[in-house]
Short mmCIF file of all heavy atoms in Angstrom, two decimals:
data_model
loop_
_atom_site.label_atom_id
_atom_site.label_comp_id
_atom_site.label_asym_id
_atom_site.label_seq_id
_atom_site.Cartn_x
_atom_site.Cartn_y
_atom_site.Cartn_z
N LYS Y 195 -58.64 46.55 -49.81
CA LYS Y 195 -57.22 46.60 -50.15
C LYS Y 195 -56.35 46.63 -48.90
O LYS Y 195 -55.30 45.97 -48.84
CB LYS Y 195 -56.94 47.81 -51.03
CG LYS Y 195 -57.49 47.69 -52.44
CD LYS Y 195 -57.15 48.92 -53.27
CE LYS Y 195 -57.63 48.75 -54.71
NZ LYS Y 195 -57.31 49.92 -55.55
N ARG Y 196 -56.77 47.40 -47.90
CA ARG Y 196 -56.00 47.48 -46.66
C ARG Y 196 -55.94 46.11 -45.97
O ARG Y 196 -54.91 45.71 -45.43
CB ARG Y 196 -56.59 48.53 -45.72
CG ARG Y 196 -56.30 49.98 -46.15
CD ARG Y 196 -56.58 50.95 -45.02
NE ARG Y 196 -57.99 50.93 -44.61
CZ ARG Y 196 -58.94 51.69 -45.16
NH1 ARG Y 196 -58.64 52.52 -46.15
NH2 ARG Y 196 -60.17 51.63 -44.72
N GLN Y 197 -57.08 45.42 -45.97
CA GLN Y 197 -57.13 44.08 -45.38
C GLN Y 197 -56.16 43.13 -46.08
O GLN Y 197 -55.42 42.38 -45.45
CB GLN Y 197 -58.56 43.51 -45.48
CG GLN Y 197 -59.55 44.05 -44.47
CD GLN Y 197 -59.47 43.29 -43.15
OE1 GLN Y 197 -59.22 42.09 -43.12
NE2 GLN Y 197 -59.67 44.01 -42.06
N ILE Y 198 -56.16 43.18 -47.41
CA ILE Y 198 -55.33 42.26 -48.20
C ILE Y 198 -53.85 42.52 -47.99
O ILE Y 198 -53.07 41.60 -47.71
CB ILE Y 198 -55.70 42.36 -49.69
CG1 ILE Y 198 -57.11 41.80 -49.93
CG2 ILE Y 198 -54.69 41.62 -50.57
CD1 ILE Y 198 -57.67 42.10 -51.31
N VAL Y 199 -53.42 43.78 -48.13
CA VAL Y 199 -51.99 44.08 -48.04
C VAL Y 199 -51.47 43.91 -46.61
O VAL Y 199 -50.28 43.62 -46.40
CB VAL Y 199 -51.70 45.50 -48.58
CG1 VAL Y 199 -52.10 46.57 -47.58
CG2 VAL Y 199 -50.23 45.63 -48.98
N SER Y 200 -52.36 44.07 -45.64
CA SER Y 200 -51.96 43.86 -44.25
C SER Y 200 -51.82 42.38 -43.92
O SER Y 200 -50.96 41.99 -43.12
CB SER Y 200 -52.99 44.51 -43.31
OG SER Y 200 -52.69 44.23 -41.97
N ALA Y 201 -52.65 41.55 -44.56
CA ALA Y 201 -52.69 40.12 -44.23
C ALA Y 201 -51.68 39.30 -45.01
O ALA Y 201 -51.12 38.34 -44.47
CB ALA Y 201 -54.10 39.57 -44.47
N ILE Y 202 -51.48 39.63 -46.27
CA ILE Y 202 -50.69 38.77 -47.16
C ILE Y 202 -49.35 39.43 -47.47
O ILE Y 202 -49.29 40.60 -47.85
CB ILE Y 202 -51.45 38.49 -48.47
CG1 ILE Y 202 -52.75 37.74 -48.13
CG2 ILE Y 202 -50.61 37.68 -49.44
CD1 ILE Y 202 -53.72 37.66 -49.27
N ASP Y 203 -48.30 38.67 -47.31
CA ASP Y 203 -46.95 39.20 -47.53
C ASP Y 203 -46.43 38.88 -48.93
O ASP Y 203 -45.82 39.74 -49.57
CB ASP Y 203 -45.99 38.62 -46.49
CG ASP Y 203 -46.39 39.00 -45.07
OD1 ASP Y 203 -46.37 40.20 -44.76
OD2 ASP Y 203 -46.73 38.09 -44.29
N TYR Y 204 -46.67 37.64 -49.40
CA TYR Y 204 -46.08 37.22 -50.68
C TYR Y 204 -47.06 36.41 -51.52
O TYR Y 204 -47.92 35.70 -50.98
CB TYR Y 204 -44.80 36.39 -50.45
CG TYR Y 204 -43.62 37.24 -50.07
CD1 TYR Y 204 -43.41 37.62 -48.75
CD2 TYR Y 204 -42.72 37.68 -51.04
CE1 TYR Y 204 -42.34 38.42 -48.40
CE2 TYR Y 204 -41.65 38.49 -50.69
CZ TYR Y 204 -41.46 38.86 -49.38
OH TYR Y 204 -40.40 39.67 -49.04
N ILE Y 205 -46.91 36.54 -52.82
CA ILE Y 205 -47.62 35.70 -53.79
C ILE Y 205 -46.58 34.88 -54.55
O ILE Y 205 -45.59 35.43 -55.06
CB ILE Y 205 -48.44 36.54 -54.78
CG1 ILE Y 205 -49.62 37.21 -54.05
CG2 ILE Y 205 -48.96 35.68 -55.93
CD1 ILE Y 205 -50.36 38.22 -54.91
N ILE Y 206 -46.80 33.58 -54.61
CA ILE Y 206 -45.99 32.70 -55.45
C ILE Y 206 -46.88 32.24 -56.59
O ILE Y 206 -47.87 31.54 -56.37
CB ILE Y 206 -45.45 31.49 -54.66
CG1 ILE Y 206 -44.59 31.97 -53.49
CG2 ILE Y 206 -44.65 30.57 -55.58
CD1 ILE Y 206 -44.10 30.85 -52.59
N TYR Y 207 -46.55 32.66 -57.81
CA TYR Y 207 -47.39 32.34 -58.96
C TYR Y 207 -46.79 31.19 -59.77
O TYR Y 207 -45.62 31.22 -60.15
CB TYR Y 207 -47.56 33.57 -59.86
CG TYR Y 207 -48.37 33.27 -61.10
CD1 TYR Y 207 -49.73 33.00 -61.02
CD2 TYR Y 207 -47.77 33.23 -62.36
CE1 TYR Y 207 -50.48 32.69 -62.15
CE2 TYR Y 207 -48.50 32.93 -63.49
CZ TYR Y 207 -49.85 32.67 -63.38
OH TYR Y 207 -50.59 32.35 -64.50
N LEU Y 208 -47.61 30.17 -60.04
CA LEU Y 208 -47.19 28.99 -60.79
C LEU Y 208 -47.87 28.96 -62.15
O LEU Y 208 -48.98 29.48 -62.32
CB LEU Y 208 -47.56 27.71 -60.03
CG LEU Y 208 -47.15 27.59 -58.56
CD1 LEU Y 208 -47.66 26.28 -57.99
CD2 LEU Y 208 -45.64 27.68 -58.42
N GLY Y 209 -47.23 28.33 -63.11
CA GLY Y 209 -47.82 28.19 -64.43
C GLY Y 209 -47.30 26.95 -65.13
O GLY Y 209 -46.35 26.30 -64.67
N ARG Y 210 -47.96 26.61 -66.23
CA ARG Y 210 -47.52 25.48 -67.05
C ARG Y 210 -46.96 26.00 -68.36
O ARG Y 210 -47.59 26.82 -69.04
CB ARG Y 210 -48.68 24.52 -67.33
CG ARG Y 210 -49.23 23.87 -66.09
CD ARG Y 210 -50.24 22.79 -66.42
NE ARG Y 210 -49.61 21.62 -67.02
CZ ARG Y 210 -50.23 20.48 -67.23
NH1 ARG Y 210 -51.51 20.36 -66.91
NH2 ARG Y 210 -49.61 19.46 -67.77
N LEU Y 211 -45.78 25.52 -68.71
CA LEU Y 211 -45.17 25.92 -69.97
C LEU Y 211 -45.80 25.15 -71.13
O LEU Y 211 -46.62 24.25 -70.93
CB LEU Y 211 -43.66 25.66 -69.91
CG LEU Y 211 -42.91 26.29 -68.73
CD1 LEU Y 211 -41.42 25.99 -68.84
CD2 LEU Y 211 -43.16 27.78 -68.64
N LYS Y 212 -45.43 25.49 -72.34
CA LYS Y 212 -46.02 24.84 -73.52
C LYS Y 212 -45.75 23.34 -73.56
O LYS Y 212 -46.53 22.58 -74.12
CB LYS Y 212 -45.49 25.51 -74.80
CG LYS Y 212 -46.01 26.93 -75.00
CD LYS Y 212 -45.49 27.53 -76.30
CE LYS Y 212 -46.03 28.94 -76.50
NZ LYS Y 212 -45.53 29.54 -77.76
N ASP Y 213 -44.64 22.92 -72.95
CA ASP Y 213 -44.31 21.50 -72.94
C ASP Y 213 -44.98 20.75 -71.78
O ASP Y 213 -44.73 19.57 -71.55
CB ASP Y 213 -42.80 21.29 -72.87
CG ASP Y 213 -42.17 21.93 -71.63
OD1 ASP Y 213 -42.91 22.44 -70.77
OD2 ASP Y 213 -40.92 21.92 -71.53
N GLY Y 214 -45.85 21.45 -71.04
CA GLY Y 214 -46.59 20.82 -69.94
C GLY Y 214 -45.89 20.88 -68.61
O GLY Y 214 -46.47 20.49 -67.59
N LYS Y 215 -44.64 21.36 -68.56
CA LYS Y 215 -43.91 21.40 -67.30
C LYS Y 215 -44.42 22.54 -66.42
O LYS Y 215 -44.72 23.64 -66.90
CB LYS Y 215 -42.42 21.58 -67.57
CG LYS Y 215 -41.78 20.38 -68.27
CD LYS Y 215 -40.31 20.62 -68.55
CE LYS Y 215 -39.69 19.42 -69.26
NZ LYS Y 215 -38.27 19.66 -69.63
N ARG Y 216 -44.50 22.25 -65.12
CA ARG Y 216 -44.95 23.26 -64.16
C ARG Y 216 -43.75 24.01 -63.61
O ARG Y 216 -42.73 23.41 -63.25
CB ARG Y 216 -45.74 22.59 -63.03
CG ARG Y 216 -47.01 21.88 -63.49
CD ARG Y 216 -47.64 21.09 -62.36
NE ARG Y 216 -48.93 20.54 -62.75
CZ ARG Y 216 -49.11 19.36 -63.29
NH1 ARG Y 216 -48.05 18.59 -63.54
NH2 ARG Y 216 -50.31 18.92 -63.59
N ARG Y 217 -43.88 25.32 -63.52
CA ARG Y 217 -42.78 26.15 -63.05
C ARG Y 217 -43.28 27.28 -62.15
O ARG Y 217 -44.41 27.76 -62.32
CB ARG Y 217 -42.04 26.79 -64.25
CG ARG Y 217 -41.31 25.78 -65.14
CD ARG Y 217 -40.08 25.25 -64.45
NE ARG Y 217 -39.29 24.35 -65.29
CZ ARG Y 217 -39.41 23.02 -65.28
NH1 ARG Y 217 -40.31 22.43 -64.49
NH2 ARG Y 217 -38.64 22.27 -66.04
N VAL Y 218 -42.44 27.69 -61.20
CA VAL Y 218 -42.67 28.94 -60.48
C VAL Y 218 -42.30 30.07 -61.43
O VAL Y 218 -41.17 30.14 -61.91
CB VAL Y 218 -41.82 29.02 -59.20
CG1 VAL Y 218 -41.94 30.42 -58.57
CG2 VAL Y 218 -42.24 27.95 -58.20
N LEU Y 219 -43.28 30.94 -61.72
CA LEU Y 219 -43.05 32.02 -62.67
C LEU Y 219 -42.80 33.36 -62.00
O LEU Y 219 -42.24 34.26 -62.62
CB LEU Y 219 -44.25 32.13 -63.62
CG LEU Y 219 -44.58 30.88 -64.46
CD1 LEU Y 219 -45.75 31.17 -65.39
CD2 LEU Y 219 -43.36 30.42 -65.25
#
């Protein structure tokens, strides 16, 4: 956990909506 939180600053999570469109969620 210490390694991860020290190394990574941000997570950008993407998904597909029901209509197939891709969005930053």
Side-chain angles (χ1 to χ4, degrees):
K195 289 181 176 181
R196 286 195 298 272
Q197 282 275 326
I198 292 169
V199 76
S200 175
I202 298 168
D203 299 297
Y204 283 84
I205 291 171
I206 300 175
Y207 177 69
L208 310 177
R210 296 188 71 171
L211 306 182
K212 291 182 179 180
D213 59 6
K215 294 178 180 177
R216 298 173 174 91
R217 293 288 184 265
V218 172
L219 300 182

